[in-house]
Amino acid sequence: MKDKLTGGKLYCLISILIIFVTYIVQKVLNIYLEHTNSVVITEAILFSLLTLFVYLLLLKSKEPFYGILTAIFGIRMMPPDIPYLNMLSPEAGIVYYLVQKFAFVIFAFAIVRLYEEQKKPRMIKPIPILCTILIVPFFNEISERIVSFIVPLSNGNMLYSYFAQFAIYTIAMIALLFVATRCSKLSSKLIADFEIIALLLNAGRKLCAVMIMLSNGDHVSRSYYCWILIYLFFVAAFYALRKRRKTSAV
């Protein structure tokens, strides 16, 4: 980045750090803290307040590219799911579910507002933004449905469900790569930057899970290693695309 990290870019950086730290903290709490009513309700309140704080920072950023990139992370990750919340406190679970849906709305509003603040002609287009938000969740839902159908028929053999998950996720990534090759340079950069960061985060999450299981002497499924390789492969693919589009004329 040639510009100094000031003003709007700084707000975006703080926002994205809050999103990642919130996500990581929730995973750590889920592993190491006992799941009690007070713990999960405290998490719900804290994560809800942080979601609102991130949104307010985005409104102050006035940075279309970095703001939209951060808002997409907000849509996909804020506030994070809290396991056992619905079981331990159904009332709080309903409220938190509504907060999650409200978070989607306000981050979508932030994207629209930041999109409108672009100088004309607008270089970040709506379709690449929508694809970045929707393609992976869409294919993940398909994957969950197909796996739920395969598992009862496979007699305990998880190989078929793993293969289905790998294949469907790969299709999602190829679809995003295709969109990134067909859109404008800045839109392509938005997709590539988001996916590189998200894929590295996913790879790191799987690697941490492997390390925890190994340290506990537990069996580690080979699917974890396969996922890490898939994530890193597509990190390389999006990085190569980003470099190629950076040097292209359009």
Side-chain angles (χ1 to χ4, degrees):
M1 187 187 304
K2 294 182 180 180
D3 300 332
K4 291 183 178 179
L5 188 64
T6 57
K9 293 185 180 68
L10 183 59
Y11 289 133
C12 292
L13 177 62
I14 294 170
S15 298
I16 210 162
L17 287 175
I18 291 172
I19 292 170
F20 290 166
V21 169
T22 300
Y23 177 82
I24 293 167
V25 165
Q26 197 288 313
K27 297 298 181 185
V28 171
L29 292 177
N30 187 46
I31 294 171
Y32 292 106
L33 279 188
E34 182 182 357
H35 299 104
T36 64
N37 185 280
S38 59
V39 167
V40 294
I41 289 178
T42 301
E43 286 182 59
I45 294 171
L46 176 62
F47 296 155
S48 299
L49 292 175
L50 287 173
T51 299
L52 178 61
F53 183 63
V54 167
Y55 170 71
L56 294 175
L57 285 178
L58 280 178
L59 291 185
K60 293 187 66 175
S61 70
K62 310 283 185 192
E63 281 286 338
F65 178 84
Y66 296 102
I68 290 172
L69 179 65
T70 305
I72 294 173
F73 276 109
I75 283 178
R76 295 278 294 272
M77 299 174 66
M78 287 291 281
D81 290 330
I82 303 174
Y84 302 103
L85 178 61
N86 288 327
M87 183 176 68
L88 294 172
S89 179
E91 298 84 0
I94 289 294
V95 173
Y96 195 67
Y97 171 79
L98 294 175
V99 169
Q100 288 179 310
K101 297 306 177 185
F102 181 68
F104 184 96
V105 172
I106 62 174
F107 283 124
F109 174 78
I111 289 174
V112 172
R113 183 167 176 174
L114 290 162
Y115 171 82
E116 293 292 337
E117 288 181 358
Q118 293 182 89
K119 295 179 181 178
K120 295 184 179 179
R122 297 186 178 101
M123 300 306 296
I124 304 175
K125 305 299 183 182
I127 296 299
I129 295 172
L130 288 173
C131 288
T132 308
I133 295 171
L134 299 176
I135 282 181
V136 171
F138 174 76
F139 279 95
N140 281 345
E141 184 176 348
I142 293 174
S143 178
E144 290 173 5
R145 288 299 182 95
I146 291 177
V147 168
S148 67
F149 174 76
I150 291 174
V151 169
L153 302 176
S154 58
N155 296 320
N157 187 343
M158 298 300 295
L159 182 62
Y160 301 108
S161 60
Y162 291 153
F163 178 79
Q165 289 174 320
F166 299 153
I168 293 170
Y169 189 81
T170 298
I171 292 170
M173 290 295 102
I174 291 173
L176 277 170
L177 281 167
F178 176 77
V179 172
T181 61
R182 306 298 295 178
C183 59
S184 67
K185 185 188 295 188
L186 199 59
S187 295
S188 178
K189 183 176 183 292
L190 179 75
I191 295 174
D193 284 1
F194 177 85
E195 290 304 326
I196 288 170
I197 296 169
L199 287 163
L200 286 173
L201 187 64
N202 285 334
R205 179 169 56 88
K206 291 290 185 183
L207 183 60
C208 288
V210 168
M211 292 173 64
I212 290 171
M213 285 186 284
L214 288 175
S215 65
N216 292 334
D218 299 329
H219 169 71
V220 180
S221 170
R222 292 181 182 178
S223 66
Y224 282 88
Y225 300 111
C226 291
W227 275 119
I228 292 171
L229 290 175
I230 290 170
Y231 293 143
L232 294 180
F233 173 82
F234 282 108
V235 166
F238 278 104
Y239 180 77
L241 173 67
R242 189 181 188 280
K243 294 290 286 185
R244 184 169 68 84
R245 293 304 302 273
K246 187 176 181 179
T247 58
S248 66
V250 293

